[in-house]
């Protein structure tokens, strides 16, 4: 078994990385490490969470907070510079950061040392309301600091024949939540319409709507039924706005050119993402066997590039699970090699107008890689720097997945300046 | 201890016709100057800057200042004699939450088309009185005066005694 990375003696600590990379934001380095190592809370810190003000209940496709069998805890954190840290409580994390309440301030600490002030995410007003069908609105849309997330379909059919991506827990999570909390497979477009209508009444609260869910393979063409779910949902959302297009992002399967044209023409969607997950053909085959089997790495990539024709430059990107390329036993053995391969492929995508954004891989319960360990903090810093540098070099930007619109990509945090 | 002139500086900031400028720098040290009429202060003594443009030069420089501990300068002139400069550093930015929303509602109540990207809190490090005479007296204190000789040259030859 691998030793947890933070216990490996050769790895540099947060402070050492900050000193070694003086041109990289220490806030972003901290966020990265907190996402990588996880976070937990002292009793005093939990007591500062006010259910009337803070978000303590959250339902997403990958995790749940504040439902049956999951305690109400702060959903996530904000740093002083507006950087979001998306991290749920990970009881099995080997060396988590600790949020504490010290001298009247909520602070992130590590081994007793105070590193930064933090704030809990605030609760928007809509979450305590119900739709006309009686559905609690917090179960329809989950808020981030400036974004409304909607998961119209919570199961991924790549799992049907064991083809789910190895770092992903979507379908095991869905099965558990269906049993524990009656989570529905699909959310009705009418409930979504009403929830969005309520949410956008709060001035200044939301700047974007993001849709994502599991892949649906059925239909006359691969992903046709998934496309239909999103078209119906986006049309329902669009009824709320005075403009044809509204600030929005869809993270979905790699649609064909015809499907993309329908998506663009029949809805008010502004930006499109389809995740390649790992930028290496052979590792894609191993880590994302469903995607590889149904479409393949090169076709997935081709479709992303095609999407730029439909949505325009700067409005198409792809997400990767940063660090999963080092998973054992088939991943890159050296971090240098992994970084080189990833950035070379990211450059090819950038040359075609597709930007790459990374999420920090946090091995999750319910995924095949649950017992693996992410690479070093230094790896993530270099990866973020590399992706940010590519965007600057190719005159692309990170606006569609920025620190504000999304908040889950350390590389796009760096693009703020 | 509160910086000297803090009350005078805040009064000047409060003046309805005050001129308010902020100078920030980028990572190369290149300065950027901008007039910010909305600069004000809050109950905790922070200068409050409402940034309306997400991608503005000032906003990016303020992010850089917070990340890399770069200071900035704020100049306020209220009338002919009240001129102050504050050296400050960003303490925090609100891009969401109750403080942000309060300012968002207020700015849009005043100007319905206004946008708001961020509410910056800037911590004053020190303040100098920039009134010309006060500043000159302070700057010249203990120094050998620079006087070009033409300024003290007689315009006419002295009358022989
Ligand atoms: S495609 Fe892969 S990452 Fe996406 S939901 Fe399905 S299994 Fe998870």
């Amino acid at each position: 078994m691998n030793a947890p990375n933070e216990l490996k003696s050769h790895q540099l600590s947060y402070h050492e990385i900050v000193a070694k990379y003086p041109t990289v934001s220490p806030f972003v380095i901290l966020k990265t490490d907190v996402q990588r190592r996880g976070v937990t809370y002292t009793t005093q810190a939990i007591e500062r969470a006010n259910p009337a003000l803070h978000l303590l209940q959250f339902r997403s496709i990958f995790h749940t907070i504040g439902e049956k069998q999951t305690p109400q805890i702060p959903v996530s954190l904000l740093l002083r510079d507006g950087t979001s840290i998306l991290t749920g409580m990970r009881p099995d994390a080997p060396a988590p950061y600790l949020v504490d309440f010290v001298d009247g301030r909520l602070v992130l600490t590590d081994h007793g040392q105070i590193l930064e002030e933090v704030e809990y995410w605030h609760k928007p007003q809509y979450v305590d309301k119900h739709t006309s069908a009686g559905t609690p609105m917090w179960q329809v849309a989950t808020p981030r600091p400036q974004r409304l997330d909607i998961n119209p379909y919570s199961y991924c059919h790549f799992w049907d024949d064991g083809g789910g991506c190895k770092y992903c827990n979507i379908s095991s999570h869905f099965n558990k939540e269906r049993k524990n909390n009656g989570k529905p497979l699909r959310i009705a477009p009418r409930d979504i319409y009403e929830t969005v209508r309520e949410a956008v009444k709060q001035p200044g609260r939301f700047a974007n709507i993001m849709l994502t869910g599991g892949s649906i393979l059925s239909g006359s063409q691969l992903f046709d039924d998934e496309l239909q779910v999103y078209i119906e949902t986006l049309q329902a959302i669009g009824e709320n706005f005075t403009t044809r297009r509204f600030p929005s992002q869809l993270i979905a399967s790699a649609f064909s050119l015809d499907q993309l044209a329908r998506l663009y023409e029949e809805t008010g969607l502004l930006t499109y993402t389809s995740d390649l997950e790992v930028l290496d053909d052979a590792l894609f085959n191993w880590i994302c066997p469903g995607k590889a089997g149904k479409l393949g790495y090169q076709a997935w990539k081709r479709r992303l590039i095609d999407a730029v024709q439909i949505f325009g430059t700067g409005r198409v990107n792809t997400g990767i699970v940063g660090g999963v390329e080092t998973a054992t036993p088939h991943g890159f053995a050296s971090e240098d090699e992994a970084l080189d391969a990833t950035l070379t492929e990211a450059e090819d995508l950038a040359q075609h107008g597709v930007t790459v954004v990374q999420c920090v891989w946090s091995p999750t319960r319910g995924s095949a890689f649950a017992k693996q360990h992410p690479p070093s903090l230094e790896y993530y810093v270099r990866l973020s720097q590399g992706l940010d540098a590519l965007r600057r070099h190719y005159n692309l930007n990170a606006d569609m997945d920025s620190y504000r619109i999304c908040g889950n990509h350390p590389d796009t945090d760096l693009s703020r300046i | 201890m509160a910086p000297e002139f803090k009350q005078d500086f805040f009064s000047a900031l409060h003046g309805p016709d005050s001129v308010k400028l902020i100078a920030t720098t980028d990572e190369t040290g290149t300065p950027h100057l901008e007039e910010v009429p909305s600069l004000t202060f809050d109950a905790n003594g922070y200068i409050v800057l409402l940034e309306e443009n997400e991608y503005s030069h000032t906003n990016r420089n303020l992010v850089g200042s917070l990340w890399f501990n770069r200071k900035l300068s704020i100049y306020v002139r209220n009338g002919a004699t009240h001129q102050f400069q504050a050296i400050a550093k960003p303490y925090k930015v609100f891009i969401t939450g109750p403080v942000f929303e309060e300012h968002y509602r207020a700015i849009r109540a005043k100007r319905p088309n206004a946008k708001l990207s961020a509410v910056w809190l800037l911590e004053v490090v020190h303040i100098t009185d920039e009134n010309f005479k006060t500043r000159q007296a302070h700057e010249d204190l203990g120094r050998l005066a620079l006087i070009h000789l033409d300024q003290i040259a007689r315009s006419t030859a002295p009358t022989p005694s």
Side-chain angles (χ1 to χ4, degrees):
Chain A
M1 191 182 129
N2 289 343
N5 281 335
E6 48 275 19
L7 302 180
K8 289 179 185 168
S9 57
H10 66 276
Q11 288 201 4
L12 299 179
S13 68
Y14 162 71
H15 286 297
E16 287 167 326
I17 295 291
V18 169
K20 187 169 174 182
Y21 294 87
T23 61
V24 179
S25 163
F27 289 83
V28 178
I29 296 174
L30 183 59
K31 166 220 186 102
T32 307
D33 209 29
V34 176
Q35 291 190 323
R36 180 178 155 272
R37 284 173 44 190
V39 69
T40 187
Y41 298 81
T42 62
T43 310
Q44 289 86 341
I46 293 280
E47 282 168 4
R48 304 309 298 175
N50 178 347
L53 290 179
H54 299 121
L55 194 64
L56 308 178
Q57 201 171 34
F58 182 92
R59 182 181 268 194
S60 91
I61 45 175
F62 303 119
H63 75 287
T64 273
I65 290 174
E67 296 207 62
K68 248 186 267 160
Q69 307 197 3
T70 51
Q72 289 211 345
I73 53 157
V75 163
S76 264
L77 305 169
L78 267 171
L79 296 176
R80 277 187 300 138
D81 69 336
T83 293
S84 279
I85 304 181
L86 281 89
T87 174
M89 185 108 104
R90 278 173 41 203
D92 44 356
Y97 282 84
L98 184 68
V99 176
D100 201 356
F101 187 67
V102 180
D103 297 334
R105 296 182 311 161
L106 278 172
V107 288
L108 255 178
T109 68
D110 192 24
H111 296 106
Q113 191 189 4
I114 294 176
L115 298 174
E116 249 309 324
E117 281 180 35
V118 287
E119 254 192 282
Y120 297 147
W121 285 7
H122 284 92
K123 181 169 98 166
Q125 288 153 5
Y126 82 87
V127 296
D128 291 332
K129 303 193 170 155
H130 290 74
T131 68
S132 58
T135 313
M137 288 187 178
W138 71 270
Q139 295 180 1
V140 176
T142 51
R144 288 192 185 180
Q146 289 270 282
R147 187 175 93 174
L148 206 51
D149 288 7
I150 293 164
N151 306 133
Y153 195 87
S154 291
Y155 179 88
C156 176
H157 288 278
F158 285 128
W159 286 60
D160 291 348
D161 51 7
C165 303
K166 288 191 162 53
Y167 51 80
C168 179
N169 69 339
I170 183 171
S171 295
S172 58
H173 179 71
F174 171 72
N175 290 334
K176 191 174 78 178
E177 287 308 305
R178 186 177 48 178
K179 193 163 139 245
N180 290 347
N181 292 301
K183 183 174 181 168
L185 178 61
R186 187 169 175 195
I187 301 179
R190 191 72 201 166
D191 274 350
I192 293 172
Y193 160 77
E194 290 178 12
T195 302
V196 171
R197 188 182 58 184
E198 195 58 39
V200 301
K201 285 179 186 166
Q202 189 172 347
R205 185 60 175 81
F206 293 107
N208 198 266
I209 296 174
M210 189 282 295
L211 272 70
T212 193
S215 289
I216 308 173
L217 316 181
S218 52
S220 44
Q221 258 194 70
L222 180 66
F223 307 133
D224 256 356
D225 290 346
E226 180 180 339
L227 176 70
Q228 193 55 36
V229 167
Y230 287 126
I231 287 176
E232 287 168 14
T233 307
L234 284 160
Q235 285 175 342
I237 293 170
E239 286 176 42
N240 286 298
F241 298 107
T242 54
T243 53
R244 162 108 176 86
R245 301 226 167 263
F246 52 91
S248 50
Q249 178 186 23
L250 172 65
I251 307 175
S253 295
F255 295 131
S256 68
L257 204 48
D258 295 352
Q259 290 170 327
L260 288 166
R262 271 193 69 200
L263 185 62
Y264 189 77
E265 291 308 324
E266 295 179 25
T267 75
L269 181 66
L270 194 64
T271 70
Y272 171 75
T273 299
S274 190
D275 293 338
L276 269 167
E277 321 286 11
V278 56
L279 298 186
D280 180 273
D281 209 332
L283 289 179
F284 186 81
N285 290 341
W286 172 51
I287 296 173
C288 308
K291 288 182 170 195
K294 290 287 176 202
L295 203 57
Y297 181 84
Q298 294 304 334
W300 203 283
K301 183 176 166 187
R302 178 76 254 156
R303 288 179 172 204
L304 269 168
I305 294 167
D306 287 346
V308 179
Q309 291 173 40
I310 306 279
F311 284 86
T313 305
R315 295 177 178 202
V316 176
N317 73 9
T318 187
I320 58 171
V321 182
V324 82
E325 54 279 0
T326 64
T328 55
H330 302 301
F332 292 101
S334 103
E335 292 190 353
D336 281 345
E337 243 185 300
L339 195 67
D340 191 46
T342 301
L343 292 178
T344 302
E345 188 64 353
E347 179 155 20
D348 189 47
L349 285 155
Q351 283 166 343
H352 291 92
V354 178
T355 58
V356 176
V357 298
Q358 68 135 333
C359 298
V360 174
W361 174 35
S362 134
T364 312
R365 270 187 191 172
S367 72
F369 282 170
K371 293 202 159 51
Q372 300 240 3
H373 300 284
S376 67
L377 174 58
E378 184 165 19
Y379 180 77
Y380 285 106
V381 170
R382 291 170 70 202
L383 181 58
S384 293
Q385 269 189 310
L387 295 175
D388 176 53
L390 282 173
R391 270 193 295 274
R392 291 175 201 269
H393 183 79
Y394 289 99
N395 207 18
L396 298 164
N397 62 53
D399 301 347
M400 66 175 278
D401 239 328
S402 68
Y403 79 102
R404 171 194 295 269
I405 296 300
C406 177
N408 199 20
H409 310 295
D411 58 295
T412 71
D413 292 340
L414 297 183
S415 304
R416 286 175 75 179
I417 60 171
Chain B
M1 199 176 78
E4 205 182 351
F5 306 121
K6 196 162 181 179
Q7 280 320 314
D8 299 327
F9 174 78
F10 280 176
S11 309
L13 211 51
H14 218 51
D17 300 320
S18 294
V19 174
K20 308 168 192 177
L21 303 172
I22 183 166
T24 55
T25 54
D26 67 13
E27 64 281 6
T28 67
T30 307
H32 176 76
L33 191 65
E34 190 177 324
E35 186 171 359
V36 192
S38 65
L39 270 187
T40 178
F41 55 92
D42 71 6
N44 297 316
Y46 290 111
I47 299 171
V48 179
L49 182 147
L50 302 183
E51 177 55 66
E52 297 188 31
N53 181 4
E54 176 81 349
Y55 307 117
S56 80
H57 210 126
T58 296
N59 203 34
R60 280 184 287 127
N61 283 357
L62 286 172
V63 174
S65 286
L66 180 50
W67 284 358
F68 303 114
N69 289 317
R70 293 198 301 262
K71 293 200 176 72
L72 54 99
S73 165
I74 288 167
Y75 172 86
V76 186
R77 180 167 60 75
N78 183 25
T81 53
H82 290 79
Q83 295 150 38
F84 297 95
Q85 178 180 215
I87 300 300
K89 55 184 185 181
Y91 161 59
K92 182 171 185 159
V93 62
F94 294 102
I95 60 148
T96 185
V99 173
F100 176 81
E101 288 177 26
E102 185 189 321
H103 285 284
Y104 182 92
R105 285 191 302 271
I107 197 171
R108 286 180 60 84
K110 266 194 223 150
R111 281 186 289 126
N113 291 327
K115 298 193 169 191
L116 185 65
S117 159
V119 178
W120 282 96
L121 300 188
L122 312 173
E123 183 184 346
V124 176
V125 178
H126 77 265
I127 296 170
T128 48
D129 185 343
E130 295 289 313
N131 172 281
F132 182 73
K133 283 198 176 133
T134 316
R135 174 162 56 90
Q136 195 181 34
H138 180 73
E139 287 166 349
D140 288 358
L141 194 69
R143 308 302 299 261
L144 198 60
L146 169 67
I147 303 175
H148 287 96
L149 297 182
D150 56 288
Q151 294 172 16
I152 54 170
R154 288 181 188 276
S155 54
T156 53
T159 322
S161 51

